[in-house]
Amino acid sequence: MSGPQGSRVHEAQSSAQRVGGRHRRPGRREGRWRRRILAYRDVRLMPAVSPRGPDEECLLLVHVRKVVGQVTYRVCGECADGVITEVVLDEPFRTCGLGTRALSHLRARYPGLTWRTTLDTRLIRDLVHRLRIPRAGATGVCSHLRSSAVASPGRPG
């Protein structure tokens, strides 16, 4: 086929043979997009008791009866403070927005609290920067607990 119509037919046939577009990297975007949809549709956020102790709580991220992530935190109603002490996500779920969803869930579950974190890993640093969560001190202890801890050792014995 010659002429402008012939070349258009040829281009249409060659683009139909290419699946996904000209500049698409095979496998990468489809997997990431699919995991992002899974993170918002199929992953359930379930509160649980933390194995670290009675003062800490845990938010489990469950996908088809498998724990794919965990957020450990402390809540103080007296100070109206929440401290995130640990965030763990499985590798396939790290870049799909699941951490953002979990921390947003905590903010919605405890609306009157000011959230801080004691973590300083690269994954967490980027996440808390995006959500504007400030870094807490190394201990992450509430101000009223700090003042009682400082007052106790100074007591004459």
Side-chain angles (χ1 to χ4, degrees), residues 41-83:
R41 187 184 64 192
D42 295 342
V43 174
R44 299 198 182 267
L45 305 175
M46 304 176 71
V49 178
S50 175
R52 289 185 170 191
D55 60 336
E56 289 195 2
E57 297 179 43
C58 183
L59 183 69
L60 297 177
L61 298 100
V62 181
H63 178 254
V64 190
R65 294 185 298 178
K66 179 184 178 206
V67 177
V68 295
Q70 175 179 347
V71 179
T72 308
Y73 60 96
R74 284 192 301 264
V75 173
C76 178
E78 196 171 321
C79 293
D81 243 359
V83 179

Side-chain angles (χ1 to χ4, degrees), residues 20 69 125 143:
R125 209 175 319 134
S143 59

